[in-house]
Amino acid sequence: MTLAESTPYPGHTPSLTDLEQTSWQQLASVLDERNDEPLAPGFKTMIVASRTETGADARTVVLRKVDPDRKYIWFHTDVRAAKVMQFEAFPNATLLFWDEALRTQLRLTVETHLHTNDYVADEHWQTVGAGSRKNYLSEQEPGSEQSAPYPGFPPSLGASLPTPEASEAGRPNFAVIECRVLAMDYLRLSREGQLRAKFQYEPESGMAWLAP
Ligand SMILES: Cc1cc2nc3c(=O)[nH]c(=O)nc-3n(C[C@H](O)[C@H](O)[C@H](O)COP(=O)(O)O)c2cc1C
């Protein structure tokens, strides 16, 4: 057996700084419209875990915006959704990403901030297509009990999309959740050696390798 074969991480071991920058680049690449093949398609959606009065909750959402320099992440939701109430009571949350091809998990500890009636929400609303706007037209509160299946938009719309003018009626229900990233836990699975590291941003910055 050669030395290379008996050593974990054949090739080269990335530096903590490289790993941190690459991870943010991979998150941002998902939203790069010039990129036909996103670098990390698995990072398109994430699980958002929140705290509740009695325990914890979690759900899938779509990643909508990333600021790798300021360490912010944004996603969209209906202002009437249960998660919004949970973030108002307990602003801290965890965002969990998994990319099968990269064999990489990112676990971000964040502080959430709700935007509904401000320029941040207005700016995001301009980027929301008719297909997504349709969901904000729902007359029923998300999670409310119904006597029959409810499609999540006015049933009269059927398979059609709302016109741009009609879709504006959904604006009062639209919310942006801004997530300030406080820390990132990185894990890459590999038979040749797992890689786990933590990157702390707030209250103080720091980075370290962790045992997987
Ligand atoms: C692939 C996928 C993407 C989703 N994206 C979003 C999203 O971007 N925003 C959102 O509020 N809900 C999204 N949902 C629905 C949520 O998972 C959840 O069911 C809903 O928001 C209600 O959650 P809550 O009761 O915890 O507020 C998505 C679901 C799936 C399966």
PDB file of all heavy atoms in Angstrom, residues 69-96:
ATOM      1  N   ASP A  69     -21.460  37.444   0.960  1.00  0.00           N
ATOM      2  CA  ASP A  69     -20.560  38.379   1.645  1.00  0.00           C
ATOM      3  C   ASP A  69     -21.103  38.765   3.023  1.00  0.00           C
ATOM      4  O   ASP A  69     -20.385  38.744   4.008  1.00  0.00           O
ATOM      5  CB  ASP A  69     -20.362  39.646   0.800  1.00  0.00           C
ATOM      6  CG  ASP A  69     -19.738  39.298  -0.548  1.00  0.00           C
ATOM      7  OD1 ASP A  69     -18.892  38.386  -0.572  1.00  0.00           O
ATOM      8  OD2 ASP A  69     -20.125  39.906  -1.564  1.00  0.00           O
ATOM      9  N   ARG A  70     -22.402  39.087   3.058  1.00  0.00           N
ATOM     10  CA  ARG A  70     -23.001  39.510   4.335  1.00  0.00           C
ATOM     11  C   ARG A  70     -23.559  38.349   5.132  1.00  0.00           C
ATOM     12  O   ARG A  70     -24.005  38.513   6.252  1.00  0.00           O
ATOM     13  CB  ARG A  70     -24.075  40.569   4.076  1.00  0.00           C
ATOM     14  CG  ARG A  70     -23.474  41.887   3.560  1.00  0.00           C
ATOM     15  CD  ARG A  70     -24.567  42.884   3.156  1.00  0.00           C
ATOM     16  NE  ARG A  70     -25.511  43.127   4.228  1.00  0.00           N
ATOM     17  CZ  ARG A  70     -26.838  43.033   4.103  1.00  0.00           C
ATOM     18  NH1 ARG A  70     -27.372  42.710   2.940  1.00  0.00           N
ATOM     19  NH2 ARG A  70     -27.628  43.262   5.129  1.00  0.00           N
ATOM     20  N   LYS A  71     -23.549  37.135   4.514  1.00  0.00           N
ATOM     21  CA  LYS A  71     -24.052  35.912   5.168  1.00  0.00           C
ATOM     22  C   LYS A  71     -25.548  36.017   5.504  1.00  0.00           C
ATOM     23  O   LYS A  71     -25.950  35.937   6.672  1.00  0.00           O
ATOM     24  CB  LYS A  71     -23.263  35.580   6.465  1.00  0.00           C
ATOM     25  CG  LYS A  71     -21.753  35.725   6.365  1.00  0.00           C
ATOM     26  CD  LYS A  71     -21.139  34.758   5.413  1.00  0.00           C
ATOM     27  CE  LYS A  71     -19.639  34.905   5.359  1.00  0.00           C
ATOM     28  NZ  LYS A  71     -19.053  34.442   4.089  1.00  0.00           N
ATOM     29  N   TYR A  72     -26.332  36.269   4.470  1.00  0.00           N
ATOM     30  CA  TYR A  72     -27.786  36.313   4.606  1.00  0.00           C
ATOM     31  C   TYR A  72     -28.429  35.339   3.610  1.00  0.00           C
ATOM     32  O   TYR A  72     -27.876  35.114   2.513  1.00  0.00           O
ATOM     33  CB  TYR A  72     -28.326  37.720   4.310  1.00  0.00           C
ATOM     34  CG  TYR A  72     -28.308  38.653   5.495  1.00  0.00           C
ATOM     35  CD1 TYR A  72     -27.148  39.329   5.864  1.00  0.00           C
ATOM     36  CD2 TYR A  72     -29.457  38.867   6.240  1.00  0.00           C
ATOM     37  CE1 TYR A  72     -27.124  40.193   6.948  1.00  0.00           C
ATOM     38  CE2 TYR A  72     -29.447  39.728   7.332  1.00  0.00           C
ATOM     39  CZ  TYR A  72     -28.283  40.376   7.680  1.00  0.00           C
ATOM     40  OH  TYR A  72     -28.270  41.235   8.759  1.00  0.00           O
ATOM     41  N   ILE A  73     -29.593  34.809   3.982  1.00  0.00           N
ATOM     42  CA  ILE A  73     -30.367  33.924   3.119  1.00  0.00           C
ATOM     43  C   ILE A  73     -31.834  34.330   3.240  1.00  0.00           C
ATOM     44  O   ILE A  73     -32.279  34.718   4.330  1.00  0.00           O
ATOM     45  CB  ILE A  73     -30.140  32.455   3.556  1.00  0.00           C
ATOM     46  CG1 ILE A  73     -28.791  31.989   2.993  1.00  0.00           C
ATOM     47  CG2 ILE A  73     -31.283  31.536   3.118  1.00  0.00           C
ATOM     48  CD1 ILE A  73     -28.436  30.580   3.299  1.00  0.00           C
ATOM     49  N   TRP A  74     -32.564  34.255   2.124  1.00  0.00           N
ATOM     50  CA  TRP A  74     -33.973  34.658   2.137  1.00  0.00           C
ATOM     51  C   TRP A  74     -34.847  33.544   1.562  1.00  0.00           C
ATOM     52  O   TRP A  74     -34.436  32.849   0.628  1.00  0.00           O
ATOM     53  CB  TRP A  74     -34.194  35.900   1.278  1.00  0.00           C
ATOM     54  CG  TRP A  74     -33.593  37.164   1.803  1.00  0.00           C
ATOM     55  CD1 TRP A  74     -34.237  38.148   2.506  1.00  0.00           C
ATOM     56  CD2 TRP A  74     -32.234  37.635   1.644  1.00  0.00           C
ATOM     57  NE1 TRP A  74     -33.364  39.185   2.798  1.00  0.00           N
ATOM     58  CE2 TRP A  74     -32.137  38.897   2.288  1.00  0.00           C
ATOM     59  CE3 TRP A  74     -31.083  37.116   1.040  1.00  0.00           C
ATOM     60  CZ2 TRP A  74     -30.955  39.636   2.328  1.00  0.00           C
ATOM     61  CZ3 TRP A  74     -29.895  37.839   1.082  1.00  0.00           C
ATOM     62  CH2 TRP A  74     -29.843  39.087   1.717  1.00  0.00           C
ATOM     63  N   PHE A  75     -36.050  33.397   2.123  1.00  0.00           N
ATOM     64  CA  PHE A  75     -37.054  32.562   1.494  1.00  0.00           C
ATOM     65  C   PHE A  75     -38.420  33.233   1.612  1.00  0.00           C
ATOM     66  O   PHE A  75     -38.564  34.218   2.353  1.00  0.00           O
ATOM     67  CB  PHE A  75     -37.042  31.123   2.059  1.00  0.00           C
ATOM     68  CG  PHE A  75     -37.465  30.970   3.493  1.00  0.00           C
ATOM     69  CD1 PHE A  75     -38.791  30.730   3.829  1.00  0.00           C
ATOM     70  CD2 PHE A  75     -36.530  31.053   4.524  1.00  0.00           C
ATOM     71  CE1 PHE A  75     -39.183  30.571   5.159  1.00  0.00           C
ATOM     72  CE2 PHE A  75     -36.906  30.902   5.858  1.00  0.00           C
ATOM     73  CZ  PHE A  75     -38.238  30.655   6.172  1.00  0.00           C
ATOM     74  N   HIS A  76     -39.396  32.717   0.863  1.00  0.00           N
ATOM     75  CA  HIS A  76     -40.729  33.327   0.803  1.00  0.00           C
ATOM     76  C   HIS A  76     -41.761  32.446   1.480  1.00  0.00           C
ATOM     77  O   HIS A  76     -41.630  31.222   1.456  1.00  0.00           O
ATOM     78  CB  HIS A  76     -41.166  33.520  -0.662  1.00  0.00           C
ATOM     79  CG  HIS A  76     -40.253  34.405  -1.452  1.00  0.00           C
ATOM     80  ND1 HIS A  76     -40.312  34.511  -2.820  1.00  0.00           N
ATOM     81  CD2 HIS A  76     -39.252  35.248  -1.045  1.00  0.00           C
ATOM     82  CE1 HIS A  76     -39.409  35.377  -3.229  1.00  0.00           C
ATOM     83  NE2 HIS A  76     -38.740  35.826  -2.187  1.00  0.00           N
ATOM     84  N   THR A  77     -42.788  33.071   2.014  1.00  0.00           N
ATOM     85  CA  THR A  77     -43.881  32.293   2.593  1.00  0.00           C
ATOM     86  C   THR A  77     -45.161  33.118   2.649  1.00  0.00           C
ATOM     87  O   THR A  77     -45.148  34.323   2.357  1.00  0.00           O
ATOM     88  CB  THR A  77     -43.494  31.758   3.990  1.00  0.00           C
ATOM     89  OG1 THR A  77     -44.436  30.740   4.361  1.00  0.00           O
ATOM     90  CG2 THR A  77     -43.480  32.856   5.037  1.00  0.00           C
ATOM     91  N   ASP A  78     -46.250  32.455   3.036  1.00  0.00           N
ATOM     92  CA  ASP A  78     -47.520  33.131   3.243  1.00  0.00           C
ATOM     93  C   ASP A  78     -47.496  33.705   4.659  1.00  0.00           C
ATOM     94  O   ASP A  78     -47.146  32.995   5.616  1.00  0.00           O
ATOM     95  CB  ASP A  78     -48.671  32.106   3.088  1.00  0.00           C
ATOM     96  CG  ASP A  78     -50.039  32.779   3.013  1.00  0.00           C
ATOM     97  OD1 ASP A  78     -50.385  33.525   3.951  1.00  0.00           O
ATOM     98  OD2 ASP A  78     -50.749  32.544   2.032  1.00  0.00           O
ATOM     99  N   VAL A  79     -47.868  34.963   4.799  1.00  0.00           N
ATOM    100  CA  VAL A  79     -47.782  35.629   6.105  1.00  0.00           C
ATOM    101  C   VAL A  79     -48.699  34.957   7.140  1.00  0.00           C
ATOM    102  O   VAL A  79     -48.484  35.067   8.348  1.00  0.00           O
ATOM    103  CB  VAL A  79     -48.090  37.143   5.956  1.00  0.00           C
ATOM    104  CG1 VAL A  79     -49.570  37.377   5.715  1.00  0.00           C
ATOM    105  CG2 VAL A  79     -47.585  37.928   7.146  1.00  0.00           C
ATOM    106  N   ARG A  80     -49.706  34.208   6.660  1.00  0.00           N
ATOM    107  CA  ARG A  80     -50.662  33.550   7.566  1.00  0.00           C
ATOM    108  C   ARG A  80     -50.187  32.164   8.012  1.00  0.00           C
ATOM    109  O   ARG A  80     -50.864  31.489   8.792  1.00  0.00           O
ATOM    110  CB  ARG A  80     -52.019  33.418   6.858  1.00  0.00           C
ATOM    111  CG  ARG A  80     -52.604  34.751   6.408  1.00  0.00           C
ATOM    112  CD  ARG A  80     -53.729  34.565   5.401  1.00  0.00           C
ATOM    113  NE  ARG A  80     -53.255  34.008   4.139  1.00  0.00           N
ATOM    114  CZ  ARG A  80     -54.036  33.676   3.115  1.00  0.00           C
ATOM    115  NH1 ARG A  80     -55.340  33.872   3.211  1.00  0.00           N
ATOM    116  NH2 ARG A  80     -53.530  33.166   2.008  1.00  0.00           N
ATOM    117  N   ALA A  81     -49.019  31.710   7.497  1.00  0.00           N
ATOM    118  CA  ALA A  81     -48.533  30.350   7.798  1.00  0.00           C
ATOM    119  C   ALA A  81     -48.060  30.230   9.246  1.00  0.00           C
ATOM    120  O   ALA A  81     -47.579  31.212   9.837  1.00  0.00           O
ATOM    121  CB  ALA A  81     -47.398  29.983   6.845  1.00  0.00           C
ATOM    122  N   ALA A  82     -48.162  29.039   9.785  1.00  0.00           N
ATOM    123  CA  ALA A  82     -47.794  28.804  11.194  1.00  0.00           C
ATOM    124  C   ALA A  82     -46.348  29.193  11.478  1.00  0.00           C
ATOM    125  O   ALA A  82     -46.030  29.722  12.556  1.00  0.00           O
ATOM    126  CB  ALA A  82     -48.024  27.328  11.538  1.00  0.00           C
ATOM    127  N   LYS A  83     -45.465  28.966  10.529  1.00  0.00           N
ATOM    128  CA  LYS A  83     -44.044  29.244  10.765  1.00  0.00           C
ATOM    129  C   LYS A  83     -43.808  30.721  11.077  1.00  0.00           C
ATOM    130  O   LYS A  83     -42.901  31.065  11.827  1.00  0.00           O
ATOM    131  CB  LYS A  83     -43.185  28.776   9.582  1.00  0.00           C
ATOM    132  CG  LYS A  83     -43.455  29.494   8.277  1.00  0.00           C
ATOM    133  CD  LYS A  83     -42.527  29.034   7.171  1.00  0.00           C
ATOM    134  CE  LYS A  83     -43.079  27.970   6.267  1.00  0.00           C
ATOM    135  NZ  LYS A  83     -44.447  28.158   5.750  1.00  0.00           N
ATOM    136  N   VAL A  84     -44.634  31.604  10.491  1.00  0.00           N
ATOM    137  CA  VAL A  84     -44.458  33.044  10.715  1.00  0.00           C
ATOM    138  C   VAL A  84     -44.698  33.379  12.186  1.00  0.00           C
ATOM    139  O   VAL A  84     -43.908  34.093  12.818  1.00  0.00           O
ATOM    140  CB  VAL A  84     -45.383  33.861   9.780  1.00  0.00           C
ATOM    141  CG1 VAL A  84     -45.358  35.340  10.132  1.00  0.00           C
ATOM    142  CG2 VAL A  84     -44.987  33.639   8.326  1.00  0.00           C
ATOM    143  N   MET A  85     -45.753  32.805  12.747  1.00  0.00           N
ATOM    144  CA  MET A  85     -46.054  33.002  14.176  1.00  0.00           C
ATOM    145  C   MET A  85     -44.921  32.434  15.030  1.00  0.00           C
ATOM    146  O   MET A  85     -44.514  33.015  16.028  1.00  0.00           O
ATOM    147  CB  MET A  85     -47.369  32.305  14.553  1.00  0.00           C
ATOM    148  CG  MET A  85     -48.578  33.217  14.517  1.00  0.00           C
ATOM    149  SD  MET A  85     -48.958  33.787  12.854  1.00  0.00           S
ATOM    150  CE  MET A  85     -49.995  32.452  12.265  1.00  0.00           C
ATOM    151  N   GLN A  86     -44.404  31.272  14.612  1.00  0.00           N
ATOM    152  CA  GLN A  86     -43.317  30.644  15.383  1.00  0.00           C
ATOM    153  C   GLN A  86     -42.068  31.535  15.389  1.00  0.00           C
ATOM    154  O   GLN A  86     -41.430  31.710  16.423  1.00  0.00           O
ATOM    155  CB  GLN A  86     -42.994  29.269  14.784  1.00  0.00           C
ATOM    156  CG  GLN A  86     -44.141  28.271  14.955  1.00  0.00           C
ATOM    157  CD  GLN A  86     -43.988  27.037  14.090  1.00  0.00           C
ATOM    158  OE1 GLN A  86     -42.981  26.831  13.414  1.00  0.00           O
ATOM    159  NE2 GLN A  86     -45.008  26.182  14.097  1.00  0.00           N
ATOM    160  N   PHE A  87     -41.731  32.116  14.229  1.00  0.00           N
ATOM    161  CA  PHE A  87     -40.541  32.986  14.169  1.00  0.00           C
ATOM    162  C   PHE A  87     -40.752  34.270  14.964  1.00  0.00           C
ATOM    163  O   PHE A  87     -39.796  34.839  15.487  1.00  0.00           O
ATOM    164  CB  PHE A  87     -40.187  33.348  12.719  1.00  0.00           C
ATOM    165  CG  PHE A  87     -39.781  32.172  11.870  1.00  0.00           C
ATOM    166  CD1 PHE A  87     -40.151  32.096  10.537  1.00  0.00           C
ATOM    167  CD2 PHE A  87     -39.008  31.146  12.393  1.00  0.00           C
ATOM    168  CE1 PHE A  87     -39.780  31.020   9.753  1.00  0.00           C
ATOM    169  CE2 PHE A  87     -38.636  30.066  11.616  1.00  0.00           C
ATOM    170  CZ  PHE A  87     -39.020  29.996  10.294  1.00  0.00           C
ATOM    171  N   GLU A  88     -41.992  34.738  15.033  1.00  0.00           N
ATOM    172  CA  GLU A  88     -42.255  35.942  15.819  1.00  0.00           C
ATOM    173  C   GLU A  88     -41.984  35.656  17.306  1.00  0.00           C
ATOM    174  O   GLU A  88     -41.460  36.496  18.020  1.00  0.00           O
ATOM    175  CB  GLU A  88     -43.700  36.420  15.630  1.00  0.00           C
ATOM    176  CG  GLU A  88     -43.970  36.997  14.249  1.00  0.00           C
ATOM    177  CD  GLU A  88     -43.200  38.286  13.963  1.00  0.00           C
ATOM    178  OE1 GLU A  88     -42.047  38.167  13.470  1.00  0.00           O
ATOM    179  OE2 GLU A  88     -43.723  39.364  14.211  1.00  0.00           O
ATOM    180  N   ALA A  89     -42.353  34.450  17.750  1.00  0.00           N
ATOM    181  CA  ALA A  89     -42.145  34.087  19.157  1.00  0.00           C
ATOM    182  C   ALA A  89     -40.698  33.670  19.414  1.00  0.00           C
ATOM    183  O   ALA A  89     -40.118  33.993  20.454  1.00  0.00           O
ATOM    184  CB  ALA A  89     -43.097  32.956  19.547  1.00  0.00           C
ATOM    185  N   PHE A  90     -40.116  32.920  18.456  1.00  0.00           N
ATOM    186  CA  PHE A  90     -38.740  32.400  18.620  1.00  0.00           C
ATOM    187  C   PHE A  90     -37.976  32.646  17.312  1.00  0.00           C
ATOM    188  O   PHE A  90     -38.041  31.822  16.392  1.00  0.00           O
ATOM    189  CB  PHE A  90     -38.763  30.890  18.911  1.00  0.00           C
ATOM    190  CG  PHE A  90     -39.645  30.503  20.074  1.00  0.00           C
ATOM    191  CD1 PHE A  90     -40.880  29.914  19.859  1.00  0.00           C
ATOM    192  CD2 PHE A  90     -39.226  30.730  21.381  1.00  0.00           C
ATOM    193  CE1 PHE A  90     -41.692  29.552  20.930  1.00  0.00           C
ATOM    194  CE2 PHE A  90     -40.039  30.378  22.457  1.00  0.00           C
ATOM    195  CZ  PHE A  90     -41.280  29.791  22.227  1.00  0.00           C
ATOM    196  N   PRO A  91     -37.281  33.779  17.189  1.00  0.00           N
ATOM    197  CA  PRO A  91     -36.662  34.142  15.908  1.00  0.00           C
ATOM    198  C   PRO A  91     -35.544  33.199  15.452  1.00  0.00           C
ATOM    199  O   PRO A  91     -35.240  33.164  14.267  1.00  0.00           O
ATOM    200  CB  PRO A  91     -36.100  35.547  16.163  1.00  0.00           C
ATOM    201  CG  PRO A  91     -36.818  36.051  17.373  1.00  0.00           C
ATOM    202  CD  PRO A  91     -37.149  34.853  18.199  1.00  0.00           C
ATOM    203  N   ASN A  92     -34.954  32.442  16.367  1.00  0.00           N
ATOM    204  CA  ASN A  92     -33.854  31.584  15.929  1.00  0.00           C
ATOM    205  C   ASN A  92     -34.363  30.318  15.244  1.00  0.00           C
ATOM    206  O   ASN A  92     -35.376  29.747  15.644  1.00  0.00           O
ATOM    207  CB  ASN A  92     -32.943  31.225  17.099  1.00  0.00           C
ATOM    208  CG  ASN A  92     -32.008  32.372  17.432  1.00  0.00           C
ATOM    209  OD1 ASN A  92     -32.432  33.525  17.393  1.00  0.00           O
ATOM    210  ND2 ASN A  92     -30.765  32.076  17.718  1.00  0.00           N
ATOM    211  N   ALA A  93     -33.662  29.902  14.191  1.00  0.00           N
ATOM    212  CA  ALA A  93     -34.076  28.732  13.418  1.00  0.00           C
ATOM    213  C   ALA A  93     -32.844  28.038  12.854  1.00  0.00           C
ATOM    214  O   ALA A  93     -31.724  28.570  12.946  1.00  0.00           O
ATOM    215  CB  ALA A  93     -34.997  29.164  12.280  1.00  0.00           C
ATOM    216  N   THR A  94     -33.053  26.852  12.292  1.00  0.00           N
ATOM    217  CA  THR A  94     -31.965  26.133  11.616  1.00  0.00           C
ATOM    218  C   THR A  94     -32.389  25.874  10.175  1.00  0.00           C
ATOM    219  O   THR A  94     -33.515  25.447   9.929  1.00  0.00           O
ATOM    220  CB  THR A  94     -31.680  24.793  12.328  1.00  0.00           C
ATOM    221  OG1 THR A  94     -31.207  25.075  13.644  1.00  0.00           O
ATOM    222  CG2 THR A  94     -30.612  23.997  11.590  1.00  0.00           C
ATOM    223  N   LEU A  95     -31.485  26.159   9.234  1.00  0.00           N
ATOM    224  CA  LEU A  95     -31.716  25.847   7.819  1.00  0.00           C
ATOM    225  C   LEU A  95     -30.832  24.658   7.475  1.00  0.00           C
ATOM    226  O   LEU A  95     -29.619  24.689   7.714  1.00  0.00           O
ATOM    227  CB  LEU A  95     -31.325  27.030   6.923  1.00  0.00           C
ATOM    228  CG  LEU A  95     -31.882  28.407   7.276  1.00  0.00           C
ATOM    229  CD1 LEU A  95     -31.446  29.416   6.219  1.00  0.00           C
ATOM    230  CD2 LEU A  95     -33.394  28.372   7.389  1.00  0.00           C
ATOM    231  N   LEU A  96     -31.434  23.614   6.919  1.00  0.00           N
ATOM    232  CA  LEU A  96     -30.690  22.389   6.636  1.00  0.00           C
ATOM    233  C   LEU A  96     -30.696  22.097   5.138  1.00  0.00           C
ATOM    234  O   LEU A  96     -31.770  21.983   4.527  1.00  0.00           O
ATOM    235  CB  LEU A  96     -31.349  21.233   7.398  1.00  0.00           C
ATOM    236  CG  LEU A  96     -30.610  19.904   7.374  1.00  0.00           C
ATOM    237  CD1 LEU A  96     -29.283  20.003   8.119  1.00  0.00           C
ATOM    238  CD2 LEU A  96     -31.479  18.823   7.995  1.00  0.00           C
TER     239      LEU A  96
END
